Amino acid sequence: MQAAATRFLTAEPGVVSRIEGAEEARALEGVVDLDLSVRAGSEVAALRSSWDRIGQVIAVGADADGALATCDEVCARTVVVTGDAPGDDASGAGR
C-alpha cells in the first residue's frame, strides 16, 4: 500500500523572471505531478487566498511521511524567481 500527499507552491509577488529546478524535481522518485500555473513573464500576486498559489505537487511514498518528504523536496528544488512588477517602485518598498 502507498500513501499520497500534496503541497502547494508559492512565490514572492512580482513578475516571474525564471523557474529553476522544476524538471529535476519532476524526475524524483514518487512524484506523480508537478503543476505550475506560471511561466517567465507571469505576474505573481501576494498570497491572500488559495487562488494565489502558483502550483501543486502530488507525490506518493511507502507511508505518509515519505510522501510528504517527497513533496517538501520538490517544493525546495522548484524555485520561481520573481522581480518587481512593471510600475512598481524599484526600491522594493512595501515588501
Side-chain angles (χ1 to χ4, degrees):
M1 183 182 334
Q2 286 188 314
T6 188
R7 289 277 195 238
F8 297 98
L9 289 93
T10 61
E12 290 296 318
V15 176
V16 176
S17 59
R18 66 186 182 282
I19 299 172
E20 301 172 347
E23 292 309 313
E24 295 85 358
R26 282 185 178 100
L28 292 173
E29 183 177 347
V31 175
V32 174
D33 188 34
L34 170 58
D35 179 52
L36 294 169
S37 61
V38 296
R39 62 178 193 248
S42 297
E43 188 162 347
V44 176
L47 185 61
R48 293 192 178 107
S49 77
S50 59
W51 293 105
D52 297 322
R53 298 173 180 151
I54 61 161
Q56 177 181 12
V57 59
I58 301 169
V60 295
D63 56 26
D65 289 338
L68 283 169
T70 299
C71 284
D72 290 341
E73 182 69 19
V74 170
C75 289
R77 289 184 184 215
T78 306
V79 178
V80 176
V81 180
T82 59
D84 288 333
D88 280 356
D89 177 20
S91 67
R95 290 205 192 171

